Amino acid sequence: MGIIRDIVHDDGGLGWLNGRFDSVSLFQGSMDITIYGDTDEYIGYAEKCIAHYNRLDKDPGLMADIREKLAKFMYYMRDEWEAMGIYDDIAEDTEKAVKEYESGGDILKHLKAPCLNIEISDEDSDEIGYEIVADCPWEPEHQCSVIIRGDKLKYVGPCEGNTPWDDDDEYYCIWNDEQ
């Protein structure tokens, strides 16, 4: 038996699989997974991605990078929501997250309902790549996306359909330019 359990085919007939696995890295406990394919090859690749994901917390540099990029994204979105002045509840929830983070809290605790998304590269490659999608208070409309390819953080920002296999220029985020 594999490390993915409760595997079911998606309801939309797209050939995807949905399931769960035990997360011991960024998030603790049972975590959802979506695999954009339904063959044994996809399942085997997904299990390699899970193994990689479950070791992320053993890489302090990568973990610090994830937290730093999440914070930049959070600060940028806080300023944007406040400037709009029309979403007071989002601005208030984001400000709570900012205050907790600035008081030494872990920004990861503000990410909820995480899901690991797995898509195999079109190129013939054994390289690992996946997306972690989660709800967050500073981007409730599009969720938060964290994309890992190999041992590198490629993207932290709103979930906009990016994959681990995009060109680097597709990962541009204005908040990474700000100091």
Side-chain angles (χ1 to χ4, degrees), residues 3-4 15-21 31-54 115-121 127-133 146-148 162-165:
I3 58 177
I4 304 170
W16 299 352
L17 298 173
N18 296 299
R20 300 189 65 72
F21 70 96
M31 187 167 151
D32 289 332
I33 184 169
T34 299
I35 306 166
Y36 298 112
D38 63 357
T39 65
D40 288 343
E41 176 187 14
Y42 279 87
I43 293 171
Y45 179 76
E47 290 188 348
K48 288 178 187 176
C49 291
I50 291 169
H52 185 276
Y53 161 84
N54 272 334
C115 180
L116 196 65
N117 291 336
I118 307 296
E119 182 174 331
I120 293 180
S121 170
E127 188 173 27
I128 295 296
Y130 49 88
E131 175 188 36
I132 304 159
V133 175
V146 176
I147 297 178
I148 307 284
N162 294 89
T163 76
W165 315 115

Side-chain angles (χ1 to χ4, degrees), residues 44-82:
Y45 179 76
E47 290 188 348
K48 288 178 187 176
C49 291
I50 291 169
H52 185 276
Y53 161 84
N54 272 334
R55 290 189 306 268
L56 286 180
D57 61 341
K58 307 290 188 249
D59 184 338
L62 184 58
M63 291 299 294
D65 197 20
I66 291 170
R67 286 181 172 97
E68 176 187 334
K69 297 272 186 340
L70 281 169
K72 286 182 176 186
F73 178 38
M74 176 180 67
Y75 285 123
Y76 178 83
M77 291 307 298
R78 176 201 54 188
D79 294 346
E80 290 298 303
W81 289 120
E82 288 176 356

Side-chain angles (χ1 to χ4, degrees), residues 89-132:
D89 56 334
I90 295 172
E92 288 172 17
D93 290 345
T94 302
E95 192 57 39
K96 287 178 193 172
V98 167
K99 286 181 180 177
E100 283 185 34
Y101 173 71
E102 289 177 349
S103 295
D106 188 355
I107 196 165
L108 291 171
K109 84 173 216 171
H110 296 284
L111 302 182
K112 306 291 183 197
C115 180
L116 196 65
N117 291 336
I118 307 296
E119 182 174 331
I120 293 180
S121 170
D122 290 336
E123 299 174 13
D124 190 20
S125 170
D126 289 332
E127 188 173 27
I128 295 296
Y130 49 88
E131 175 188 36
I132 304 159

